[in-house]
Amino acid sequence: MSQIHTTVTPAANYRHEALFYSGEADFLDRTAPFIRGAVENDEPVLVAISRSKIERLRALIGRMEDKVRFVDMAEVGSNPVRIIPVWREFVDEHAESGVRLRGIGEPIWAERSPEELVECERHEALLNLAFADASPLWLLCPYDVDSLNQSVVREAERNHPYLERRGEHQLSAAFRGLEDIAAPFDEPLPPAPASAERRSFNSAGDLADLRRFVAASASRFGLGEKRVAELVLSADEIASNSLKHGGGSGTLKIWTDHLAIICEVRDSGRLDAPLAGRVKPKGEAGSGFGLWLAGQLCDLVQVRAFRDHSVVRLHRLLQMENASAVGAAVQ
């Protein structure tokens, strides 16, 4: 059996396992017994997958479905930074019971955009940090090898200390270890286009002008009023963090790629809190509240910590405006 090549391993109580399957029939064959085992052992189980798979699993397990909590991953995990709080709430809810918990979470599917995919993979890595000291939890993360690129499968091997292939369980020789995962995340981002609009800020007095700038740009790019307000609030929070923790100044850029409005805040600090924005802060003014709020309001949040600067990119999808209009017309 392969050994994990690291001196730092996840807590024994936490089993984070990648499940490699081939197509939907294989998915059902491999996950239904896992769920039945949880129910038969009186182990609380949370399943976060697509709506279509939820329906098929419910039909397969029959009366047991009443003892299983299902959530639509397309809703809770559209922005990957929102997934860890779901698992944290589940763990905290049962923390005093002492029983083992089980979960199935599938945040990665073939239709994910390249930007979403990187953030999903980062999420999978950070799960190992988030639950290193958690109550006993066995978390199974399915990967459809028939539809996913082989590079995604290789990254799953790096982000999960345990693997299951064709019913065989093993340790992952490729698992990167907690020290590597906790290091500042410096995955390169595509450069902002030359057409991006830009503003610098150096004091709290500049924030009002920055808010007006973001609002005007986002509106001109076609974002609706409510979503403009949410982007403005998010950008203001991130810029305030730059003033307090990022060297006292920063630069904001905003542009559109015709799919989304992208707002980037860059400063000279180096963010070294890997779970920032993924763990709900205590109190509305708690440390990390700005990133947390941005994660709740934006469709995608990208955080990078380079050697001499940090970058936060906030995405607001433009197609959501059309979806909202269609929904209003139907009603």
Coordinates of all heavy atoms in Angstrom, one line a residue, residues 23-117:
G23 N -19.0 7.4 -15.0 CA -20.3 7.5 -15.4 C -21.3 7.4 -14.3 O -21.0 7.0 -13.2
E24 N -22.6 7.8 -14.6 CA -23.6 7.9 -13.5 C -23.9 6.6 -12.9 O -24.2 6.5 -11.7 CB -24.8 8.6 -14.1 CG -25.9 8.9 -13.0 CD -27.0 9.8 -13.5 OE1 -26.7 11.0 -13.5 OE2 -28.0 9.3 -13.8
A25 N -24.0 5.5 -13.7 CA -24.4 4.2 -13.1 C -23.3 3.8 -12.1 O -23.7 3.3 -11.0 CB -24.5 3.2 -14.2
D26 N -22.1 4.0 -12.4 CA -21.0 3.6 -11.5 C -21.1 4.5 -10.2 O -20.8 4.1 -9.1 CB -19.7 3.8 -12.2 CG -18.5 3.2 -11.4 OD1 -18.7 2.2 -10.6 OD2 -17.4 3.7 -11.4
F27 N -21.4 5.8 -10.4 CA -21.6 6.7 -9.3 C -22.6 6.2 -8.3 O -22.4 6.1 -7.1 CB -22.0 8.1 -9.8 CG -22.3 9.1 -8.7 CD1 -21.4 9.8 -8.1 CD2 -23.7 9.2 -8.3 CE1 -21.7 10.7 -7.1 CE2 -24.0 10.1 -7.3 CZ -23.0 10.8 -6.7
L28 N -23.7 5.8 -8.8 CA -24.8 5.3 -8.0 C -24.4 4.0 -7.3 O -24.7 3.8 -6.1 CB -26.1 5.0 -8.8 CG -26.7 6.3 -9.4 CD1 -27.8 5.9 -10.3 CD2 -27.1 7.3 -8.4
D29 N -23.7 3.1 -8.0 CA -23.3 1.8 -7.4 C -22.3 2.0 -6.3 O -22.2 1.2 -5.4 CB -22.6 0.9 -8.5 CG -23.6 0.4 -9.5 OD1 -24.8 0.4 -9.2 OD2 -23.2 -0.1 -10.6
R30 N -21.5 3.1 -6.4 CA -20.4 3.3 -5.4 C -20.9 4.2 -4.2 O -20.3 4.0 -3.1 CB -19.2 4.0 -6.1 CG -18.8 3.3 -7.4 CD -17.9 2.1 -7.1 NE -16.6 2.6 -6.7 CZ -15.7 3.2 -7.5 NH1 -16.0 3.3 -8.8 NH2 -14.5 3.6 -7.0
T31 N -21.8 5.0 -4.4 CA -22.2 5.9 -3.3 C -23.4 5.4 -2.5 O -23.5 5.7 -1.3 CB -22.6 7.3 -3.9 OG1 -23.6 7.2 -4.9 CG2 -21.4 8.0 -4.5
A32 N -24.3 4.7 -3.2 CA -25.5 4.2 -2.4 C -25.1 3.3 -1.2 O -25.6 3.5 -0.1 CB -26.4 3.4 -3.4
P33 N -24.2 2.4 -1.4 CA -23.7 1.6 -0.2 C -23.1 2.4 0.9 O -23.3 2.1 2.1 CB -22.7 0.6 -0.8 CG -23.0 0.5 -2.2 CD -23.5 1.9 -2.6
F34 N -22.4 3.5 0.5 CA -21.8 4.4 1.5 C -22.9 5.0 2.3 O -22.8 5.1 3.6 CB -21.0 5.4 0.8 CG -20.3 6.4 1.6 CD1 -19.0 6.2 2.2 CD2 -20.8 7.7 1.9 CE1 -18.4 7.1 3.0 CE2 -20.2 8.6 2.7 CZ -19.0 8.3 3.2
I35 N -24.0 5.5 1.7 CA -25.1 6.1 2.4 C -25.8 5.1 3.2 O -26.2 5.4 4.4 CB -26.0 6.8 1.4 CG1 -25.3 7.9 0.7 CG2 -27.3 7.3 2.1 CD1 -26.1 8.5 -0.5
R36 N -26.1 3.9 2.7 CA -26.8 2.9 3.4 C -26.0 2.5 4.7 O -26.6 2.3 5.8 CB -27.0 1.6 2.6 CG -28.0 1.8 1.4 CD -28.4 0.5 0.8 NE -29.2 0.6 -0.3 CZ -28.8 0.5 -1.6 NH1 -27.5 0.2 -1.8 NH2 -29.6 0.6 -2.6
G37 N -24.7 2.4 4.6 CA -23.8 2.1 5.7 C -23.9 3.2 6.8 O -24.0 2.8 8.0
A38 N -24.0 4.4 6.4 CA -24.2 5.5 7.4 C -25.5 5.4 8.1 O -25.6 5.5 9.3 CB -24.1 6.9 6.7
V39 N -26.6 5.1 7.4 CA -27.9 5.1 8.0 C -28.0 3.8 8.9 O -28.5 3.9 10.0 CB -29.0 5.0 6.9 CG1 -30.4 4.7 7.5 CG2 -29.0 6.3 6.1
E40 N -27.5 2.7 8.5 CA -27.5 1.5 9.3 C -26.7 1.6 10.6 O -27.1 1.0 11.6 CB -27.0 0.3 8.4 CG -28.0 -0.1 7.3 CD -27.4 -1.0 6.3 OE1 -26.2 -1.4 6.5 OE2 -28.1 -1.4 5.3
N41 N -25.7 2.4 10.5 CA -24.9 2.6 11.7 C -25.3 3.9 12.5 O -24.5 4.3 13.5 CB -23.4 2.8 11.3 CG -22.8 1.5 10.8 OD1 -23.1 0.4 11.3 ND2 -22.0 1.6 9.8
D42 N -26.4 4.5 12.2 CA -26.9 5.7 12.8 C -25.9 6.8 12.8 O -25.7 7.6 13.8 CB -27.3 5.4 14.3 CG -28.5 4.5 14.4 OD1 -29.4 4.7 13.6 OD2 -28.5 3.6 15.3
E43 N -25.2 6.9 11.7 CA -24.2 8.0 11.4 C -24.9 9.1 10.6 O -25.3 8.8 9.5 CB -23.0 7.5 10.7 CG -22.2 6.4 11.6 CD -21.1 5.7 10.8 OE1 -21.1 5.9 9.5 OE2 -20.3 5.0 11.4
P44 N -24.9 10.3 11.1 CA -25.5 11.4 10.3 C -24.8 11.5 9.0 O -23.5 11.4 8.9 CB -25.3 12.7 11.2 CG -25.2 12.1 12.6 CD -24.5 10.8 12.4
V45 N -25.5 11.8 7.9 CA -24.9 11.9 6.6 C -25.4 13.0 5.8 O -26.6 13.2 5.7 CB -25.0 10.5 5.8 CG1 -26.5 10.1 5.7 CG2 -24.4 10.6 4.4
L46 N -24.5 13.8 5.2 CA -24.9 14.9 4.3 C -24.3 14.7 2.9 O -23.2 14.3 2.8 CB -24.3 16.2 4.9 CG -24.4 17.5 4.0 CD1 -25.8 17.9 3.8 CD2 -23.6 18.6 4.6
V47 N -25.2 14.8 1.9 CA -24.8 14.6 0.5 C -25.0 15.8 -0.3 O -26.1 16.3 -0.5 CB -25.7 13.4 -0.1 CG1 -25.3 13.1 -1.5 CG2 -25.5 12.1 0.8
A48 N -23.9 16.4 -0.8 CA -23.9 17.6 -1.6 C -23.5 17.3 -3.0 O -22.3 17.2 -3.3 CB -23.0 18.7 -1.0
I49 N -24.5 17.1 -3.9 CA -24.2 16.7 -5.3 C -25.2 17.4 -6.2 O -26.0 18.3 -5.7 CB -24.3 15.2 -5.5 CG1 -25.7 14.7 -5.0 CG2 -23.2 14.5 -4.7 CD1 -25.9 13.2 -5.1
S50 N -25.3 17.1 -7.5 CA -26.2 17.8 -8.4 C -27.6 17.3 -8.1 O -27.9 16.2 -7.6 CB -25.8 17.4 -9.8 OG -26.1 16.1 -10.1
R51 N -28.5 18.1 -8.6 CA -30.0 17.9 -8.4 C -30.4 16.5 -9.0 O -31.1 15.7 -8.5 CB -30.8 19.0 -8.9 CG -32.3 18.8 -8.9 CD -32.8 18.5 -7.5 NE -32.4 19.6 -6.5 CZ -32.7 19.5 -5.2 NH1 -33.3 18.4 -4.7 NH2 -32.3 20.4 -4.4
S52 N -29.9 16.3 -10.2 CA -30.2 15.1 -10.9 C -29.7 13.8 -10.2 O -30.4 12.8 -10.1 CB -29.7 15.1 -12.4 OG -28.3 15.1 -12.4
K53 N -28.6 13.9 -9.6 CA -28.0 12.7 -8.9 C -28.7 12.6 -7.6 O -28.9 11.4 -7.1 CB -26.5 12.9 -8.7 CG -25.7 12.7 -10.0 CD -24.2 12.9 -9.7 CE -23.4 12.7 -11.0 NZ -22.0 13.0 -10.9
I54 N -29.2 13.7 -7.0 CA -29.9 13.5 -5.7 C -31.2 12.8 -6.0 O -31.6 11.8 -5.2 CB -30.3 14.9 -5.2 CG1 -29.0 15.6 -4.6 CG2 -31.4 14.9 -4.1 CD1 -29.3 17.1 -4.2
E55 N -31.9 13.1 -7.1 CA -33.2 12.4 -7.4 C -32.9 10.9 -7.6 O -33.7 10.1 -7.2 CB -33.8 13.0 -8.6 CG -34.3 14.5 -8.4 CD -34.7 15.2 -9.6 OE1 -34.6 14.5 -10.7 OE2 -35.2 16.3 -9.6
R56 N -31.9 10.6 -8.3 CA -31.6 9.1 -8.6 C -31.2 8.4 -7.3 O -31.6 7.2 -7.1 CB -30.5 9.0 -9.7 CG -31.1 9.4 -11.1 CD -30.0 9.5 -12.1 NE -30.5 9.7 -13.4 CZ -31.0 10.8 -13.9 NH1 -31.1 11.9 -13.1 NH2 -31.5 10.9 -15.1
L57 N -30.4 9.0 -6.5 CA -30.0 8.4 -5.2 C -31.2 8.2 -4.3 O -31.3 7.1 -3.7 CB -28.9 9.2 -4.5 CG -27.5 8.8 -4.8 CD1 -26.5 9.8 -4.1 CD2 -27.2 7.4 -4.4
R58 N -32.1 9.2 -4.2 CA -33.3 9.0 -3.4 C -34.1 7.9 -3.9 O -34.6 7.1 -3.0 CB -34.1 10.3 -3.5 CG -33.6 11.4 -2.5 CD -34.4 12.7 -2.7 NE -34.2 13.6 -1.6 CZ -34.5 14.9 -1.6 NH1 -34.9 15.4 -2.7 NH2 -34.3 15.6 -0.5
A59 N -34.3 7.7 -5.2 CA -35.0 6.6 -5.7 C -34.4 5.3 -5.4 O -35.0 4.2 -5.1 CB -35.2 6.7 -7.2
L60 N -33.0 5.3 -5.3 CA -32.3 4.0 -5.1 C -32.3 3.6 -3.7 O -32.4 2.4 -3.4 CB -30.9 4.2 -5.6 CG -30.0 3.0 -5.8 CD1 -30.6 2.0 -6.8 CD2 -28.6 3.4 -6.2
I61 N -32.2 4.5 -2.7 CA -32.1 4.1 -1.3 C -33.5 4.0 -0.7 O -33.6 3.6 0.5 CB -31.2 5.1 -0.5 CG1 -31.8 6.5 -0.5 CG2 -29.8 5.1 -1.1 CD1 -31.0 7.5 0.4
G62 N -34.5 4.5 -1.4 CA -35.9 4.3 -0.9 C -36.2 5.0 0.4 O -35.9 6.2 0.6
R63 N -36.7 4.2 1.4 CA -37.2 4.8 2.6 C -36.1 5.4 3.4 O -36.3 6.2 4.3 CB -37.9 3.8 3.5 CG -39.3 3.4 2.9 CD -39.9 2.3 3.7 NE -39.2 1.1 3.7 CZ -39.5 0.0 4.3 NH1 -40.6 0.0 5.1 NH2 -38.8 -1.1 4.2
M64 N -34.8 5.0 3.2 CA -33.7 5.6 3.9 C -33.5 7.1 3.6 O -32.8 7.8 4.4 CB -32.4 4.9 3.5 CG -32.2 3.5 4.1 SD -30.6 2.8 3.8 CE -30.6 1.3 4.7
E65 N -34.1 7.6 2.6 CA -33.8 9.0 2.2 C -34.2 10.0 3.3 O -33.7 11.1 3.4 CB -34.6 9.3 0.9 CG -36.1 9.4 1.0 CD -36.7 10.2 -0.1 OE1 -36.3 11.4 -0.4 OE2 -37.6 9.7 -0.8
D66 N -35.2 9.6 4.1 CA -35.6 10.5 5.2 C -34.5 10.7 6.2 O -34.6 11.7 7.0 CB -36.9 9.9 5.9 CG -38.1 9.9 5.0 OD1 -38.1 10.7 4.0 OD2 -39.0 9.1 5.2
K67 N -33.5 9.8 6.3 CA -32.4 9.9 7.2 C -31.2 10.5 6.6 O -30.1 10.5 7.3 CB -32.1 8.6 7.8 CG -33.3 8.0 8.6 CD -33.0 6.7 9.3 CE -34.1 6.1 10.1 NZ -33.8 4.9 10.8
V68 N -31.3 11.0 5.4 CA -30.1 11.6 4.7 C -30.4 13.1 4.4 O -31.5 13.4 3.9 CB -29.8 10.8 3.4 CG1 -28.6 11.4 2.7 CG2 -29.6 9.4 3.7
R69 N -29.5 13.9 4.6 CA -29.6 15.4 4.3 C -29.0 15.6 2.9 O -27.8 15.4 2.7 CB -29.0 16.3 5.3 CG -29.2 17.8 5.0 CD -28.5 18.6 6.0 NE -28.8 18.3 7.4 CZ -28.2 18.9 8.4 NH1 -27.3 19.9 8.2 NH2 -28.5 18.6 9.6
F70 N -29.8 16.0 1.9 CA -29.3 16.3 0.6 C -29.3 17.8 0.4 O -30.2 18.5 0.8 CB -30.2 15.6 -0.5 CG -30.2 14.2 -0.5 CD1 -31.1 13.4 0.1 CD2 -29.2 13.5 -1.3 CE1 -31.1 12.0 0.0 CE2 -29.1 12.2 -1.3 CZ -30.0 11.4 -0.7
V71 N -28.2 18.3 -0.3 CA -28.2 19.7 -0.7 C -27.7 19.7 -2.1 O -26.9 18.9 -2.5 CB -27.3 20.5 0.2 CG1 -27.8 20.6 1.6 CG2 -25.9 20.0 0.2
D72 N -28.2 20.7 -2.9 CA -27.8 20.8 -4.3 C -26.5 21.6 -4.4 O -26.4 22.7 -4.0 CB -28.9 21.6 -5.0 CG -28.7 21.7 -6.5 OD1 -27.6 21.3 -7.0 OD2 -29.6 22.2 -7.2
M73 N -25.4 20.9 -4.9 CA -24.1 21.5 -4.9 C -24.1 22.7 -5.9 O -23.3 23.6 -5.7 CB -23.1 20.5 -5.4 CG -21.7 21.0 -5.4 SD -21.0 21.7 -3.9 CE -20.4 20.1 -3.1
A74 N -25.0 22.7 -6.9 CA -25.0 23.8 -7.8 C -25.4 25.1 -7.1 O -25.1 26.2 -7.6 CB -25.9 23.5 -9.0
E75 N -26.2 24.9 -6.0 CA -26.6 26.1 -5.3 C -25.6 26.5 -4.2 O -25.1 27.6 -4.1 CB -28.0 25.8 -4.6 CG -29.1 25.7 -5.6 CD -30.4 25.4 -4.9 OE1 -30.5 25.4 -3.7 OE2 -31.4 25.2 -5.6
V76 N -25.2 25.6 -3.3 CA -24.3 25.9 -2.2 C -22.9 26.1 -2.7 O -22.1 26.8 -2.1 CB -24.3 24.8 -1.1 CG1 -25.7 24.7 -0.6 CG2 -23.8 23.5 -1.6
G77 N -22.5 25.4 -3.9 CA -21.1 25.4 -4.3 C -20.9 26.2 -5.6 O -19.8 26.0 -6.2
S78 N -21.8 27.0 -6.0 CA -21.6 27.7 -7.3 C -20.4 28.6 -7.1 O -19.5 28.7 -8.0 CB -22.8 28.6 -7.6 OG -23.1 29.5 -6.5
N79 N -20.2 29.2 -5.9 CA -19.0 29.8 -5.5 C -18.3 28.9 -4.5 O -18.8 28.7 -3.4 CB -19.2 31.2 -4.9 CG -17.9 31.9 -4.5 OD1 -16.9 31.4 -4.5 ND2 -18.1 33.2 -4.2
P80 N -17.1 28.3 -4.9 CA -16.5 27.3 -4.0 C -16.2 27.7 -2.6 O -16.1 26.9 -1.7 CB -15.3 26.9 -4.8 CG -15.6 27.2 -6.2 CD -16.5 28.4 -6.2
V81 N -16.0 29.0 -2.4 CA -15.7 29.4 -1.0 C -16.8 29.2 0.0 O -16.6 29.3 1.2 CB -15.2 30.9 -1.0 CG1 -14.1 31.2 -1.9 CG2 -16.4 31.9 -1.3
R82 N -18.0 28.9 -0.5 CA -19.2 28.8 0.3 C -19.4 27.3 0.8 O -20.3 27.0 1.6 CB -20.5 29.2 -0.4 CG -20.5 30.7 -0.8 CD -21.7 31.0 -1.6 NE -21.6 32.3 -2.2 CZ -22.4 32.7 -3.3 NH1 -23.2 31.8 -3.8 NH2 -22.2 33.9 -3.8
I83 N -18.5 26.4 0.3 CA -18.8 25.0 0.6 C -18.3 24.6 2.0 O -19.0 23.9 2.7 CB -18.1 24.1 -0.5 CG1 -18.6 24.5 -1.9 CG2 -18.5 22.6 -0.2 CD1 -17.9 23.7 -3.0
I84 N -17.1 25.0 2.4 CA -16.6 24.6 3.7 C -17.5 25.1 4.8 O -17.7 24.3 5.7 CB -15.1 25.2 3.9 CG1 -14.1 24.3 3.1 CG2 -14.8 25.2 5.4 CD1 -12.7 24.8 3.1
P85 N -18.1 26.2 4.7 CA -19.1 26.6 5.8 C -20.3 25.6 5.9 O -20.8 25.4 7.0 CB -19.6 28.0 5.4 CG -18.4 28.6 4.6 CD -17.9 27.4 3.9
V86 N -20.7 25.0 4.8 CA -21.7 24.0 4.9 C -21.3 22.8 5.6 O -22.0 22.3 6.5 CB -22.2 23.6 3.4 CG1 -23.2 22.4 3.5 CG2 -22.8 24.8 2.7
W87 N -20.1 22.3 5.4 CA -19.6 21.2 6.1 C -19.3 21.5 7.6 O -19.5 20.7 8.5 CB -18.3 20.6 5.4 CG -18.5 20.0 4.1 CD1 -18.1 20.4 2.9 CD2 -19.3 18.8 3.9 NE1 -18.6 19.6 1.9 CE2 -19.3 18.6 2.5 CE3 -20.0 17.9 4.7 CZ2 -20.0 17.5 1.9 CZ3 -20.6 16.8 4.1 CH2 -20.6 16.6 2.7
R88 N -18.8 22.7 7.8 CA -18.6 23.2 9.2 C -19.8 23.2 10.0 O -19.9 22.7 11.1 CB -17.9 24.5 9.2 CG -17.7 25.2 10.5 CD -17.0 24.3 11.5 NE -15.6 24.1 11.0 CZ -14.8 23.2 11.6 NH1 -15.2 22.4 12.6 NH2 -13.6 23.0 11.1
E89 N -20.9 23.7 9.4 CA -22.2 23.7 10.1 C -22.7 22.3 10.4 O -23.2 22.0 11.5 CB -23.2 24.4 9.3 CG -24.6 24.5 9.9 CD -25.6 25.3 9.1 OE1 -25.2 25.9 8.0 OE2 -26.8 25.3 9.4
F90 N -22.5 21.4 9.5 CA -22.9 20.0 9.7 C -22.1 19.3 10.8 O -22.6 18.7 11.7 CB -22.7 19.2 8.4 CG -22.9 17.7 8.4 CD1 -24.1 17.2 8.8 CD2 -21.9 16.9 8.1 CE1 -24.4 15.9 8.8 CE2 -22.1 15.5 8.2 CZ -23.3 15.0 8.5
V91 N -20.8 19.6 10.8 CA -19.9 19.0 11.9 C -20.2 19.6 13.2 O -20.4 18.9 14.2 CB -18.4 19.3 11.5 CG1 -17.5 18.9 12.7 CG2 -18.0 18.4 10.3
D92 N -20.4 20.9 13.3 CA -20.7 21.6 14.6 C -22.0 21.1 15.1 O -22.2 21.0 16.3 CB -20.7 23.1 14.4 CG -19.3 23.7 14.1 OD1 -18.4 23.0 14.4 OD2 -19.3 24.9 13.7
E93 N -23.0 20.9 14.3 CA -24.3 20.4 14.7 C -24.3 19.1 15.5 O -25.0 18.9 16.4 CB -25.2 20.3 13.5 CG -26.6 19.8 13.8 CD -27.5 19.6 12.5 OE1 -27.1 20.1 11.5 OE2 -28.5 18.9 12.6
H94 N -23.3 18.3 15.1 CA -23.2 16.9 15.7 C -22.0 16.8 16.6 O -21.6 15.6 17.0 CB -23.2 15.9 14.6 CG -24.4 15.9 13.7 ND1 -25.6 15.3 14.1 CD2 -24.6 16.4 12.5 CE1 -26.5 15.4 13.2 NE2 -26.0 16.1 12.2
A95 N -21.3 17.9 16.9 CA -20.0 17.8 17.6 C -20.1 17.1 18.9 O -19.2 16.4 19.3 CB -19.4 19.2 17.8
E96 N -21.2 17.3 19.6 CA -21.3 16.7 21.0 C -21.8 15.3 21.0 O -21.8 14.6 22.0 CB -22.2 17.6 21.8 CG -21.7 19.0 22.0 CD -22.6 19.8 22.9 OE1 -23.6 19.3 23.4 OE2 -22.3 21.0 23.1
S97 N -22.2 14.7 19.8 CA -22.7 13.4 19.8 C -21.7 12.3 19.9 O -21.9 11.2 20.4 CB -23.5 13.2 18.5 OG -22.6 13.2 17.4
G98 N -20.5 12.6 19.4 CA -19.4 11.6 19.5 C -19.4 10.6 18.4 O -18.5 9.8 18.3
V99 N -20.5 10.6 17.6 CA -20.6 9.6 16.5 C -19.8 10.0 15.3 O -19.6 11.2 15.1 CB -22.0 9.3 16.2 CG1 -22.8 8.8 17.4 CG2 -22.7 10.6 15.6
R100 N -19.4 9.1 14.5 CA -18.8 9.4 13.2 C -19.8 10.0 12.2 O -21.0 9.6 12.2 CB -18.1 8.2 12.6 CG -17.4 8.5 11.3 CD -16.6 7.4 10.7 NE -17.5 6.3 10.2 CZ -17.1 5.2 9.6 NH1 -15.8 5.1 9.4 NH2 -17.9 4.3 9.1
L101 N -19.4 11.0 11.5 CA -20.3 11.6 10.4 C -19.8 11.2 9.1 O -18.6 10.8 8.9 CB -20.2 13.1 10.5 CG -20.3 13.7 11.9 CD1 -20.2 15.3 11.8 CD2 -21.7 13.4 12.6
R102 N -20.7 11.2 8.1 CA -20.3 10.9 6.7 C -20.8 11.9 5.8 O -21.8 12.6 6.1 CB -20.9 9.5 6.3 CG -20.3 8.3 7.0 CD -20.5 7.0 6.2 NE -20.5 5.8 7.0 CZ -20.4 4.6 6.5 NH1 -20.3 4.4 5.2 NH2 -20.3 3.6 7.3
G103 N -20.1 12.1 4.7 CA -20.5 13.1 3.8 C -20.1 12.7 2.4 O -19.0 12.0 2.2
I104 N -20.8 13.2 1.4 CA -20.4 13.1 0.0 C -20.5 14.5 -0.6 O -21.5 15.1 -0.5 CB -21.4 12.1 -0.8 CG1 -21.3 10.7 -0.2 CG2 -21.0 12.1 -2.3 CD1 -22.3 9.7 -0.9
G105 N -19.4 14.9 -1.2 CA -19.4 16.3 -1.8 C -18.7 16.2 -3.2 O -17.6 15.8 -3.3
E106 N -19.5 16.7 -4.2 CA -18.9 16.7 -5.6 C -18.9 18.1 -6.1 O -19.8 18.5 -6.8 CB -19.7 15.7 -6.5 CG -19.1 15.6 -7.8 CD -19.8 14.5 -8.7 OE1 -20.9 14.2 -8.4 OE2 -19.1 14.0 -9.7
P107 N -17.9 18.9 -5.8 CA -17.8 20.3 -6.3 C -17.3 20.4 -7.7 O -17.4 21.5 -8.3 CB -16.9 21.0 -5.3 CG -16.0 19.9 -4.9 CD -16.8 18.6 -4.9
I108 N -16.7 19.3 -8.3 CA -16.0 19.4 -9.6 C -16.8 18.6 -10.6 O -17.0 17.4 -10.4 CB -14.6 19.0 -9.5 CG1 -13.8 20.0 -8.6 CG2 -13.9 18.8 -10.8 CD1 -12.3 19.6 -8.4
W109 N -17.2 19.3 -11.7 CA -17.8 18.6 -12.8 C -17.3 19.2 -14.1 O -16.7 20.3 -14.1 CB -19.3 18.7 -12.7 CG -19.9 20.0 -12.5 CD1 -20.2 21.0 -13.5 CD2 -20.3 20.6 -11.3 NE1 -20.7 22.1 -12.9 CE2 -20.8 21.9 -11.6 CE3 -20.2 20.2 -9.9 CZ2 -21.2 22.8 -10.6 CZ3 -20.7 21.0 -9.0 CH2 -21.2 22.3 -9.3
A110 N -17.5 18.5 -15.2 CA -16.8 18.9 -16.5 C -17.2 20.3 -16.9 O -16.4 20.9 -17.6 CB -17.2 17.9 -17.5
E111 N -18.4 20.8 -16.6 CA -18.9 22.1 -17.1 C -18.3 23.2 -16.3 O -18.6 24.4 -16.7 CB -20.4 22.1 -17.1 CG -21.1 21.1 -18.1 CD -21.1 19.7 -17.6 OE1 -20.9 19.5 -16.4 OE2 -21.2 18.8 -18.5
R112 N -17.6 23.0 -15.3 CA -17.0 24.1 -14.6 C -16.1 24.9 -15.5 O -15.3 24.4 -16.3 CB -16.2 23.6 -13.4 CG -17.0 23.1 -12.2 CD -17.5 24.2 -11.4 NE -17.9 23.8 -10.0 CZ -18.4 24.6 -9.1 NH1 -18.7 25.9 -9.4 NH2 -18.7 24.2 -7.9
S113 N -16.1 26.3 -15.3 CA -15.2 27.1 -16.1 C -13.7 26.9 -15.6 O -13.6 26.4 -14.4 CB -15.6 28.6 -15.9 OG -15.3 29.0 -14.6
P114 N -12.7 27.2 -16.4 CA -11.3 27.1 -15.9 C -11.1 27.8 -14.6 O -10.4 27.3 -13.7 CB -10.5 27.7 -17.0 CG -11.4 27.5 -18.2 CD -12.8 27.7 -17.8
E115 N -11.7 29.0 -14.4 CA -11.5 29.8 -13.2 C -12.1 29.1 -12.0 O -11.6 29.0 -10.9 CB -12.1 31.2 -13.3 CG -11.4 32.1 -14.4 CD -11.9 31.8 -15.8 OE1 -12.8 31.0 -16.0 OE2 -11.3 32.4 -16.7
E116 N -13.4 28.6 -12.2 CA -14.1 27.9 -11.2 C -13.3 26.6 -10.8 O -13.2 26.2 -9.6 CB -15.5 27.5 -11.6 CG -16.4 28.7 -11.7 CD -17.8 28.3 -12.3 OE1 -17.8 27.2 -12.9 OE2 -18.7 29.0 -12.1
L117 N -12.8 25.9 -11.8 CA -12.1 24.6 -11.5 C -10.9 24.8 -10.6 O -10.7 24.1 -9.6 CB -11.6 24.0 -12.8 CG -10.8 22.7 -12.7 CD1 -11.7 21.6 -12.0 CD2 -10.4 22.2 -14.1

